[in-house]
Amino acid sequence: MELKGKCVLLGITGGIAAYKMAGVASALKKQGADVEVIMTRNATQFITPITFETLTGHKCMVDTFDRDFKFEVTHIELAKKADVILVAPATANVIAKMAHGIADDMLTTTVLAAGCPKLVAPAMNTGMLENPITQDNIRTLERYGFTVIPSESGLLACHDVGKGRLPADEVLLDYIHRALAPKDLAGLRVTVTAGPTQEAIDPVRCLTNHSTGKMGYAVARAAALRGAQVTLIHGPTALAPVRFAEDVPVVSAQEMYQAVTGRFADTDILVMAAAVADYRPASVASDKVKKGEGEMSIPLVRTADILGTIGPQKTHQFLCGFSMETRDMVAHSAEKLRKKNLDMIVANNLKDPGAGFGVDTNLVTFLTPDGGVRQLPLMSKEAVAGAILDEILARRG
Ligand code: CTP
């Protein structure tokens, strides 16, 4: 997601994980955000303000009474300017101060003054984290509306193995993106399917296709960031699970059929981006099939058509299908839209450069029952996902 026009304020406190925030600041800048950084005095023992000044192009604030600044009352100006604040790593000390309204340095005064969404990522030694005092303070922050990003387990800098590690950059970035995204899908239950299916021939072989799941995962991620309650039902893929979404892995078309139909009554929007197999072997050999001389053929039978089955039964659900073609794309896709009683179909031609399986871009056309045919320019799959959700929202009214 583009962060152009958004101001992200990073509050960095005195833990060894402070050095990791250079990567987060850099990634945010690359995504177009205006990044401001406030460090506590202790944080500057671990990484210098110059690192963040170079990365962000702004003065990195440390002292409340620094006279070398451009604002009138800096902590108030930054509190007003920020669209989101992330305090990471957050030490037990700063968590305690924020939980009790103590404002004795630049960071804590700014946090207290700010009205924007506030994210806190605790990172410390396991004993300090699990201390009931810290746990109480974390709960207090949550009660006051802070979002606390759970710390991870692993080898800590103090050589202990346990909970207290700062999550990876991508996790922190996902929380920032969610905090900044419009919540126009809040209250909606969105089911997305993605990836290929695998139809077993025997214990070692299967029939499948080249889908990587990227398009469906992008839709699930965008919907989750925009506040929907998302279930991602996916065939075997190499992609990391989508944060903030329920993950339902399946293998075969039949398993996907059961997963989708079982949730259909509780779904408001279904986006079927999966490349579901249309055929499966008539029977699955229980042992590995040995090769012989000459040709071999495998009898195939049709799988259940998931959209074809639920389309005619829909009540309140909005159904968005996908259609991948190599020729006559619009005509074939319009026919699928009609036959499966869909509200929208997203068509793409595998032969178009930049479209289809595996790539990070897509060139799609939206077809709707009113005869609408709208081709979008070549865009990232992330941007296509946003456009699909915009279209669905507009059509649902
Ligand atoms: N689909 C489905 N169940 C299947 C197969 C496909 O729900 N068993 C869904 C896909 O997820 C996609 C849409 O139906 O959203 C595609 O329609 P379909 O007619 O199956 O497309 P193709 O399989 O591409 O059609 P054909 O093989 O006839 O070209």
Side-chain angles (χ1 to χ4, degrees):
M1 187 170 80
E2 268 280 317
L3 295 179
K4 209 161 266 149
K6 300 288 182 188
C7 175
V8 181
L9 173 57
L10 299 177
I12 301 172
T13 75
I16 178 62
Y19 81 90
K20 295 185 180 170
M21 296 307 289
V24 175
S26 166
L28 288 168
K29 276 299 280 187
K30 283 186 190 138
Q31 291 165 7
D34 181 15
V35 184
E36 294 276 2
V37 178
I38 302 178
M39 299 176 77
T40 60
R41 171 83 31 219
N42 286 346
T44 65
Q45 299 288 330
F46 293 94
I47 182 166
T48 84
I50 298 169
T51 303
F52 294 104
E53 290 176 352
T54 310
L55 289 170
T56 67
H58 289 301
K59 181 173 170 62
C60 172
M61 301 304 299
V62 180
D63 293 319
T64 312
F65 300 105
D66 188 344
R67 305 310 304 157
D68 176 22
F69 56 74
K70 58 180 182 297
F71 299 117
E72 279 300 304
V73 184
T74 314
H75 65 281
I76 301 299
E77 284 303 320
L78 285 180
K80 281 187 195 156
K81 186 184 170 195
D83 293 302
V84 61
I85 297 179
L86 167 66
V87 182
T91 58
N93 182 52
V94 83
I95 288 169
K97 287 204 277 186
M98 291 190 301
H100 293 88
I102 295 171
D104 63 353
D105 63 6
M106 188 66 190
L107 177 60
T108 47
T109 46
T110 305
V111 170
L112 195 60
C116 63
K118 297 168 198 172
L119 313 172
V120 177
M124 65 196 76
N125 159 271
T126 311
M128 294 171 82
L129 181 65
E130 289 178 349
N131 189 306
I133 302 172
T134 307
Q135 288 299 311
D136 261 359
N137 289 334
I138 286 175
R139 274 190 292 273
T140 302
L141 285 180
E142 286 177 329
R143 206 157 37 80
Y144 285 125
F146 287 67
T147 298
V148 177
I149 303 173
S151 43
E152 293 182 351
S153 294
L155 178 63
L156 305 178
C158 53
H159 305 301
D160 283 357
V161 175
K163 215 167 170 356
R165 202 167 64 178
L166 187 71
D169 295 5
E170 310 84 74
V171 181
L172 302 179
L173 293 166
D174 271 353
Y175 273 88
I176 289 172
H177 280 269
R178 186 174 64 159
L180 292 173
K183 293 296 172 288
D184 50 2
L185 292 171
L188 292 174
R189 295 160 300 181
V190 177
T191 301
V192 181
T193 67
T197 62
Q198 286 182 355
E199 310 304 323
I201 297 170
D202 66 16
V204 276
R205 304 174 181 100
C206 66
L207 294 177
T208 187
N209 57 65
H210 296 300
S211 169
T212 57
K214 283 184 177 179
M215 191 62 248
Y217 274 58
V219 173
R221 180 170 188 273
L225 296 181
R226 287 166 66 165
Q229 186 186 322
V230 177
T231 301
L232 173 59
I233 301 168
H234 61 87
T237 72
L239 303 175
V242 171
R243 223 172 311 285
F244 318 122
E246 183 196 4
D247 190 72
V248 181
V250 298
V251 176
S252 65
Q254 183 58 24
E255 285 175 19
M256 188 168 280
Y257 176 87
Q258 276 159 351
V260 173
T261 53
R263 283 167 181 77
F264 192 54
D266 295 326
T267 294
D268 298 309
I269 296 167
L270 172 66
V271 181
M272 280 286 302
V276 188
D278 292 319
Y279 292 91
R280 63 177 168 79
S283 63
V284 182
S286 54
D287 288 304
K288 186 182 171 197
V289 176
K290 302 303 285 179
K291 63 178 164 297
E293 296 304 321
E295 290 180 0
M296 178 198 188
S297 53
I298 303 171
L300 301 176
V301 293
R302 282 291 304 271
T303 57
D305 186 331
I306 306 170
L307 278 180
T309 307
I310 57 181
Q313 301 169 8
K314 72 179 176 197
T315 51
H316 65 286
Q317 295 90 347
F318 187 101
L319 299 190
C320 173
F322 269 71
S323 169
M324 178 172 277
E325 295 292 344
T326 53
R327 63 184 173 87
D328 302 327
M329 181 189 78
V330 171
H332 285 147
S333 304
E335 180 58 13
K336 292 178 201 174
L337 178 81
R338 190 191 59 75
K339 254 177 51 194
K340 301 191 185 202
N341 195 27
L342 307 181
D343 299 291
M344 174 174 158
I345 196 157
V346 180
N348 57 159
N349 187 334
L350 191 59
K351 290 189 174 168
D352 283 337
F357 293 143
V359 289
D360 290 323
T361 53
N362 212 349
L363 182 64
V364 301
T365 301
F366 294 163
L367 283 84
T368 43
D370 52 8
V373 178
R374 181 158 77 93
Q375 187 182 349
L376 276 61
L378 184 69
M379 302 196 288
S380 67
K381 283 188 172 164
E382 198 185 339
V384 172
I388 290 170
L389 294 173
D390 289 345
E391 184 73 23
I392 292 175
L393 267 186
R395 294 197 161 264
R396 276 184 94 246

